[in-house]
Each structure stands twice: as structure tokens, then as C-alpha cells.
Amino acid sequence: MAKVLCVLYDDPVDGYPTTYARDDIPTITSYPGGQTAPTPEAIDFTPGRLLGSVSGALGLRDWLESLGHTLVVTSDKDRENSVFDQELPDADIVISQPFWPAYLTAERIAKARNLKLVVTAGIGSDHTDLDAAVAHGLTVAEVTFSNSISVAEHVVMMILSLVRNYLPSHQWVLDGGWNIADCVARSYDLEGMHVGTVAAGRIGLAVLRRLAPFDVKLHYTDRHRLPSDVERELNLTWHDSAEAMVPHCDVVTINAPLHPETEGLFGDKLLSTMKRGTYLINTARAKIADRDAVDRALRSGQLAGYAGDVWYPQPAPADHPWRTMPHHGMTPHISGSSLSAQARYAAGTREILESFFAGRPLRDEYLIVDAGALAGAGAPSDAVNS
């Protein structure tokens, strides 16, 4: 029997929900491009419930325990001698989410003598040292595409929130005011603006498709150009690098994975080439943007706004400058963890475990490392975001 160690975020401060705002959620059976949504043999949860917190346990507890497996669920992962560190040495499987990542460093992997499978409930496995995973013969998997559209919707929300100055305007209402001039002094129309995405993979392309009806001029950069029919359909302008694209844009959204070529990409140098008053959106990975350079650009007015859903580290400390910099719309990495997305990535996690326990191959699109070799979505490719 296996020991499954699951790291999830804390329950709501007022307790695990007993009721929900909606009674159901739409059923999604396939994604753009034809990939099917997760197809586990069964699920033991109600779609639309909170599954990503400790009490939700990704809907896995009853099923795993009925098979004789041990499930340990904790949110305690970062402090010295955390519950995660205490339970890791004899764990066979580790599951965590990008929103509350269990950082599997080379040192931790070396101590996990029984570890065989690492699962990201969602997309993005950069919290696992993939070189160490390869060296130790592990399998690393994630539920590819399960929350890509969720993130794309969040990007569009953030763009509109910044450009229309929504959050400060809402604050005037909360504070009892009716200060229209203060609200509109930083409010513009998105219509007619030039909007560019750094990477046009699953998320980036979904963002472009959702922005097209706003009558904006769309730009993108990616290692590989999109098919010509897609460029024509969306009236896209392709650029061969972020450096070439950003001077033309009023809004830039980052939808690329974190790797050596993108780490620190949006630093003082690149930010200085952008139009004064550009809005920058980052729901990809925090380290693609230089933390202090973003703060400086907002304070100088070079950036009109920055909205991000990703931080480093996660959770971010209370004194992180992105909490207090001006004109920001930061959220605590929630874009891919809507209740709708949770139903899909919980089902995908169960599908992965079902295959693993039965000795069946995992779906190729779920694989990052397969028994000690880069595979599937983790194999060298165009490196676009999931």
C-alpha cells in the first residue's frame, strides 16, 4: 500500500464551506484542440465544491483509504521541520498545487527514499527540481490544460481592472465615497489599444481569442509562429522576441513558462523600452519579472499598472514590495484554482493515481518526467506555457 502526501492550502478562515453560491457548474468534456478533460473511473466529490484546501483533500480521501492507502494532507510545508518534511521520507507519492507548492528541492528528493510519483494538481511543475527527479528515476505529472482557460479568463479580468481603474473605484464605494473624478482620472477604454502576449501556447492563445472582440490590436511573440489561418482569424502581428514586441504595446501579458531564457526578462532594461503608461500582466511565474524593477517602474510612472497572480516565494511574505507598490492588482495565485478548475484538476489527479496504481501508462500529455526521463509535456519542445 502507498503513502500519499498531499500539500494543499488552508481552509477558509471561517471554516470549510457548508453552502455554496451556486448549485452546479458547467460540465466541460474537452478543451480547445481536442484534448479530453480528465476521465477517471469515478469521483467521490461534487463538482463545484472546495477541493483544493486541506479539508477538501482533492476529493481523494475516501477512495484512497478504501483501497488501504494512507493519505496525509497538510498545509505546513515551508518552516523548518514542517509536517511536509516530517512525512516526506517514507512517502510514495507527493501531490501539491502551483498555488501552494510543495517545493521539492534536490535535498528533499534525496531524503524521500520511497518517492516514486510527483503530481501537480493543476499545471506547472517548476516547484519540483526536475534534474533531481530525473536522477532519482521519479515520474512527475501534472493535469495539463485543466485550468488553462481559468487563467486566461483571469488575465482578461486583470487587464480590464487595470485599464478601467476598477479596484480604486470600488474602494471609493466601500469607503462611503462618490468621488467620480478620482475614479476616472486613471480610467481608459481598452478599445483600440495594442495588446501583446509573451508566449501564445494554451493560455496565451486563449487570452488572444478572448480579447479579439474588444476591438484591440493583437500582438504576440513565441518561439514558433501560430498557423497562418489563426493569425488571419485574429489579425495577429507576430514579433520574433519580447524585446521587439513590447515597444508597440499598451498592454503586455506574460503567459510563458519559467526557464533560463525568461527568468528576469522583465527587468529595468526591457521595462525602459515599453511605452510610458503600459500595463503589465503576469499570471505565469513571478521570477519572469524582476521584483524591484516592477516596483520602480510603477513608482516612476513607466508602468501605469501591474497585475499579477504569481509571487516568489509562495506564499509571499507580509513585507513583499508587490503588496504595497502603487497601481497594482495583485491576487494570491488564485487564477487557476476556481471551483470550476478544481473539479477538473481533482479529477485529473485521480485519473493519474488510478493509472499509476494499476500499472498503466499515464496520459502522455500529463507527463513531465517519466521514470527518470523527460517526457510528454516536459520533453524539449517549443516551451510555450500550458
Side-chain angles (χ1 to χ4, degrees), residues 239-258:
H239 303 266
D240 62 8
S241 67
E243 291 81 0
M245 183 186 75
V246 300
H248 301 280
C249 295
D250 304 289
V251 180
V252 174
T253 169
I254 304 170
N255 299 292
L258 178 66

Side-chain angles (χ1 to χ4, degrees), residues 184-250:
V184 302
R186 293 183 65 88
S187 178
Y188 300 87
D189 291 345
L190 183 61
E191 182 183 17
M193 286 190 174
H194 290 255
V195 182
T197 175
V198 178
R202 296 180 183 91
I203 295 173
L205 180 56
V207 169
L208 293 171
R209 289 193 179 282
R210 281 153 180 77
L211 288 174
F214 285 88
D215 291 328
V216 293
K217 299 172 176 63
L218 295 173
H219 302 251
Y220 80 100
T221 181
D222 201 292
R223 289 185 179 183
H224 299 287
R225 293 187 68 161
L226 293 167
S228 58
D229 60 329
V230 175
E231 289 191 345
R232 288 191 299 271
E233 174 195 354
L234 300 176
N235 195 23
L236 303 178
T237 300
W238 176 76
H239 303 266
D240 62 8
S241 67
E243 291 81 0
M245 183 186 75
V246 300
H248 301 280
C249 295
D250 304 289

Side-chain angles (χ1 to χ4, degrees), residues 45-80:
F45 60 81
T46 300
R49 300 289 177 90
L50 179 60
L51 303 170
S53 71
V54 169
S55 293
L58 294 178
L60 296 173
R61 184 173 297 282
D62 289 347
W63 171 63
L64 287 174
E65 292 181 350
S66 73
L67 296 176
H69 302 300
T70 299
L71 176 65
V72 177
V73 183
T74 183
S75 64
D76 182 21
K77 64 187 180 69
D78 292 323
R79 66 180 178 87
E80 186 176 355

Side-chain angles (χ1 to χ4, degrees), residues 91-277:
D92 299 280
I93 299 168
V94 167
I95 303 169
S96 72
Q97 301 167 105
F99 336 106
W100 194 262
Y103 290 102
L104 271 173
T105 62
E107 292 75 19
R108 277 175 160 168
I109 289 174
K111 295 176 183 177
R113 57 184 180 273
N114 291 347
L115 189 59
K116 303 173 186 68
L117 174 65
V118 179
V119 180
T120 297
I123 56 176
S125 296
D126 53 289
H127 52 277
T128 297
D129 187 317
L130 296 183
D131 290 334
V134 168
H136 284 78
L138 305 182
T139 294
V140 179
E142 60 184 55
V143 191
T144 306
F145 224 147
S146 60
N147 51 2
S148 297
I149 302 304
S150 311
V151 177
E153 290 185 0
H154 200 88
V155 171
V156 175
M157 177 191 71
M158 283 182 153
I159 291 173
L160 290 169
S161 295
L162 288 181
V163 173
R164 296 307 300 262
N165 202 38
Y166 168 72
L167 293 173
S169 302
H170 180 58
Q171 190 63 48
W172 278 111
V173 173
L174 295 178
D175 294 342
W178 194 266
N179 301 55
I180 294 175
D182 294 276
C183 296
V184 302
R186 293 183 65 88
S187 178
Y188 300 87
D189 291 345
L190 183 61
E191 182 183 17
M193 286 190 174
H194 290 255
V195 182
T197 175
V198 178
R202 296 180 183 91
I203 295 173
L205 180 56
V207 169
L208 293 171
R209 289 193 179 282
R210 281 153 180 77
L211 288 174
F214 285 88
D215 291 328
V216 293
K217 299 172 176 63
L218 295 173
H219 302 251
Y220 80 100
T221 181
D222 201 292
R223 289 185 179 183
H224 299 287
R225 293 187 68 161
L226 293 167
S228 58
D229 60 329
V230 175
E231 289 191 345
R232 288 191 299 271
E233 174 195 354
L234 300 176
N235 195 23
L236 303 178
T237 300
W238 176 76
H239 303 266
D240 62 8
S241 67
E243 291 81 0
M245 183 186 75
V246 300
H248 301 280
C249 295
D250 304 289
V251 180
V252 174
T253 169
I254 304 170
N255 299 292
L258 178 66
H259 54 75
E261 293 179 27
T262 60
E263 184 169 352
L265 175 63
F266 281 82
D268 289 315
K269 182 178 179 181
L270 186 60
L271 291 171
S272 70
T273 69
M274 300 169 76
K275 295 170 62 175
R276 191 187 74 83

